[in-house]
Amino acid sequence: MNNAHDIVPTHLAVQAMRDNGYKNAAYAIAELMDNAIQAGASQVELLCGEGKQQVEGRRRSRIEQIAVLDNGCGMDANVLRLALQFGNGTYLNPDKHIGIGRFGMGLPSSSISQSQRVDVWSWQNGIENALHSYLDLEEINNRQMTEVPEPTAKPMPMIWTKIGQNFGDSGTLVVWSKIDRCIWRTGKAIIDNSEFVIGRMYRKFINIGRVKIRMVAFDVDALYNIILEKYALPNDPGYLMEKTSCPQPFNNQAMFRPWEGDTSYEAIYTINFKDKEHDVKVRFSYAKEEARQAEPGKNPGSLPHGQHAAKNVGVSVVRAGRELELDQNLVNNYDPTERWWGIEVEFPPSLDDIFGVTNNKQSARNFGEILQLNIESLLEEGKTVSQLKEELLQDEDPKLPLLELAYKIKSQLSLIRRLIKAQTKGTRTTEKRHIHDPYKPEKVATTVTQERKSQGYKGKSDADEELPKQERKQAIKETLKEEGVTETKAELLAATTVDDGLKYTFAEAPLDTPAFFSVKPRGGAIIVTLNTNHPAYQNLVEILEEDVDQADIDALRSRLMNSLDGLKLLLMAWARYEDEQPDGKLKDNAQDTRIDWGRVARRFLENE
């Protein structure tokens, strides 16, 4: 019996535990499935019994009981009693942190998050020898129940022996009744909403055939009336599995391909913790071209497979083969193309403390926090990754081992995003795919320069923008010819620059100078001419252009074009910096110049 001097009276503590953070019934049900899989079950069943109830003057179907049946190893009387105690269980010892179980609170806490009563039958030598115990919130509140009842032999109600199919020599049945907190009102709604989440959580187990998850909605008053019956299909947010819940045409084939094109590709990062090395596996994937193509006038994102992918956006955090969560910290919610990449981070239970795994196994808090960190801005202050690590080390920050992992994930993701953007270049117009806009860098640089002018920065070339168009074209053309550009090419460049309102003209010519490029403000524009005699041109620009022309692989072509655009933008940023200097005051100190130029260049390249 509770003592008046207890720190927290049991009945109040149990009521408070009802709000224990399960996102919805699917996540609470998953807690029971964890126990089943940990117990070696090859068959798990979600059985949802609904009955007719009077609701607002009408008889409606409402969920009355939810059960999870498994053919695992079952529990003896001691273990069954432990399993119904809050904060107890058989996996609390760190030496046993090897499977998907962990905190020993799963069964009671998940059950009371949805219902007021949970009954458990478990058997190890035939169903006829099943032991039973239970928890009932009403009895706890009335102080009738102060400890878990001693398990006793009790036959299982016929309702479950009729509906359940996989009763092995050993197994467990957990039944929730007096359901008062489930947001889904019918068995069908519970199954429809749970399949997506449960299929994702246990995709690896389902995919390799280690477990089958049967889901049934039925009428408790007419057991022959099966409302819905199905087996959960894997739901892979990385879309590398075949035979999944993804709609056609990607239900039987992978919709994404592994990043780098190697089917066994995964990056392995080693984390040292408690004098042992532990492997963290990271898998990157992105959509195949055919997933991004649609019939004319249709957006692939609005097709069934695109809508499926939209619900699977994020970094899939996987512990011991079971997904904890789909972390949203790296997702650009405003960008619909985010659905076309996948990242999976898989770690062993021995790293729970490093990743910050929560009691209800719904998130890895430390990992989420390190993904939120703006590592780039910290590094911009001049620190290196190793210096940043040193600071975290001094602060004894538990997230330290995850810093490098997060940095590499972000770096890789930025490359994948660029590739995804390049996949559909030109597909929304009448252009052929992959036709490249040769003036894109000039347009980006012009936009940023206008922004800088509005902030009060002035360049020598700005005054000439007010000159008549023909005069401006002539000045640009003559300058280009002086640089060694052919008359035809110079005329075309001058006309495009002035007519399109561009601030920059980019040309290539054999200059008689050791400089890599020249900068000349003329006709209201800044003319940047690359020196084709310079080794940097031959080793960087020329080979990039050759490869771009010859490449027939989409990914290679887009990467090379992006590299060339980035280089041009960098040089135009330098040109604008020179143009903004007062006469005679250009700094001689190369290091200071690089810092200032870098500041301008960062803004130019951010738009890219």
Side-chain angles (χ1 to χ4, degrees), residues 127 156 169 180 214 223 266 320 342 447 449 524 539 542 562 592:
I127 192 173
M156 193 180 296
D169 286 337
D180 61 344
R214 176 178 176 247
L223 298 185
E266 64 183 15
T447 301
T449 300
N539 291 315
E542 193 173 73
N562 280 335
D592 286 351

Side-chain angles (χ1 to χ4, degrees), residues 473 476-477 480 489-499 505:
K473 287 180 185 177
I476 294 168
K477 177 185 167 183
L480 287 166
K489 180 74 171 171
E491 196 158 12
L492 175 64
L493 284 172
T496 303
T497 303
V498 176
D499 292 341
T505 302

Side-chain angles (χ1 to χ4, degrees), residues 29 33 37 42-46 166 195 198-199 201-203 205-206 211-216 230-233:
I29 289 164
M33 293 188 174
I37 293 169
S42 60
Q43 303 274 351
V44 180
E45 300 186 27
L46 169 61
N166 297 288
E195 183 187 17
I198 285 170
M201 280 184 187
Y202 302 107
R203 62 182 180 267
F205 298 102
I206 300 170
V211 70
K212 285 184 177 174
I213 299 177
R214 176 178 176 247
M215 300 186 292
V216 183
K230 62 181 1 180
Y231 278 85
L233 289 165

Side-chain angles (χ1 to χ4, degrees), residues 373-399:
L373 260 187
N374 191 341
I375 299 171
E376 290 75 15
S377 68
L378 294 170
L379 296 176
E380 272 178 14
E381 295 165 11
K383 294 172 189 163
T384 61
V385 174
S386 52
Q387 284 172 327
L388 204 52
K389 284 168 77 174
E390 191 61 38
E391 282 180 20
L392 289 172
L393 188 63
Q394 288 169 0
D395 295 340
E396 296 185 356
D397 194 312
K399 298 186 287 291

Side-chain angles (χ1 to χ4, degrees), residues 292-362:
R292 305 286 311 278
Q293 292 163 355
E295 301 158 33
K298 285 195 177 172
N299 182 336
S302 64
L303 296 175
H305 68 270
Q307 292 176 337
H308 193 276
K311 294 192 280 184
N312 272 332
V313 178
V315 177
S316 178
V317 183
V318 177
R319 170 190 181 272
R322 187 267 213 197
E323 183 183 270
L324 293 179
E325 68 174 333
L326 202 56
D327 187 287
Q328 304 284 305
N329 280 302
L330 295 185
V331 178
N332 294 331
N333 290 311
Y334 56 84
D335 188 347
T337 63
E338 291 289 88
R339 73 191 69 195
W340 303 119
W341 57 260
I343 298 176
E344 180 182 288
V345 176
E346 185 169 12
F347 66 95
S350 52
L351 291 179
D352 279 355
D353 292 342
I354 293 282
F355 276 80
V357 177
T358 54
N359 282 14
N360 54 23
K361 298 197 292 283
Q362 288 189 95

Side-chain angles (χ1 to χ4, degrees), residues 363-375:
S363 67
R365 280 186 185 145
N366 290 350
F367 182 64
E369 284 177 21
I370 207 85
L371 288 183
Q372 279 179 332
L373 260 187
N374 191 341
I375 299 171

Side-chain angles (χ1 to χ4, degrees), residues 20 80 155 238 339 348 381 450 454 539 607:
N20 49 25
L80 173 52
R339 73 191 69 195
E381 295 165 11
Q450 287 165 348
S454 71
N539 291 315
N607 276 265

Side-chain angles (χ1 to χ4, degrees), residues 109-142:
S109 62
S110 62
S111 301
I112 67 166
S113 76
Q114 306 297 314
S115 66
Q116 293 199 42
R117 180 175 172 116
V118 54
D119 287 83
V120 183
W121 285 265
S122 200
W123 58 98
Q124 294 187 313
N125 184 25
I127 192 173
E128 63 279 2
N129 296 312
L131 295 171
H132 167 266
S133 189
Y134 72 101
L135 291 177
D136 189 304
L137 291 188
E138 195 176 342
E139 291 183 25
I140 292 170
N141 286 334
N142 296 337

